[in-house]
Amino acid sequence: MIEKALQFTQSTLNQYIVNKLGLDDTKVVINSLVDSNGIVPTKNENKVVLSLINVERETAKPFYIRHKKQTDGNYSHFQTVERYNLYLLCTSNFDDYRETLKFLDELILFFQVHASIDSSSFSNIPSGLDKLEFEIEKINYLQIHSLWNALGAKYQPSVIYKMRLVTMNPHEIDGFEEPVLSTSENITPNAK
């Protein structure tokens, strides 16, 4: 699901930028900012680069229901569906600094306009992705500095978005239970 969510985001953002600026070629790629040798990949040149920088498990309990009623009235136990938040570093990496800023503007506008994406707004959203929500991450200068040092890259104008609620469903049933149809009323209270 992580790959599907990233590919869909890349494709949708690219289409938005290409249409908005009247371009012919792909301008958004998914890639690391530097390769294992510390060199900027040629694939990133004059592109908006989306890089996954963190994955965080969503811990809100309403998402973790383990029982589902079947058509025969029984209940199935299944592996918990887990939801994750993905942190995307969106970097505008162009030779011309004015182009860098122009593309940074466009990607921010995209996420502002499409803060929430579901099948009602995008019919091509991949199966298994119910909804994606994007929220800009507010980080300070020291955190930015530490991030770019950890990545081993030189700073480029960028923004971080939290992609909320990517669902990971193993689709594994681990048991069945019959429903409770009645309760016994012959319970006697403890007498003193």
Side-chain angles (χ1 to χ4, degrees), residues 83-105:
R83 294 205 166 114
Y84 292 87
N85 300 318
L86 309 179
Y87 290 82
L88 290 180
L89 176 63
C90 306
T91 307
S92 188
N93 185 26
F94 291 83
D95 295 334
D96 181 351
Y97 194 70
R98 290 177 62 190
E99 286 291 293
T100 297
L101 298 178
K102 178 172 77 174
F103 279 89
L104 185 64
D105 280 346

Side-chain angles (χ1 to χ4, degrees), residues 137-192:
E137 275 297 292
K138 190 170 130 181
I139 63 173
N140 64 40
Y141 175 77
L142 291 176
Q143 291 170 316
I144 291 171
H145 178 70
S146 295
L147 172 65
W148 283 85
N149 276 338
L151 295 171
K154 293 187 179 188
Y155 177 79
Q156 291 287 327
S158 57
V159 63
I160 298 172
Y161 281 94
K162 179 180 185 178
M163 182 191 301
R164 297 175 55 80
L165 308 179
V166 173
T167 305
M168 301 290 278
N169 187 347
H171 297 291
E172 297 287 329
I173 295 176
D174 58 8
F176 293 93
E177 280 188 25
E178 293 181 14
V180 176
L181 301 174
S182 66
T183 59
S184 175
E185 294 186 25
N186 297 334
I187 300 173
T188 57
N190 290 340
K192 288 188 179 183

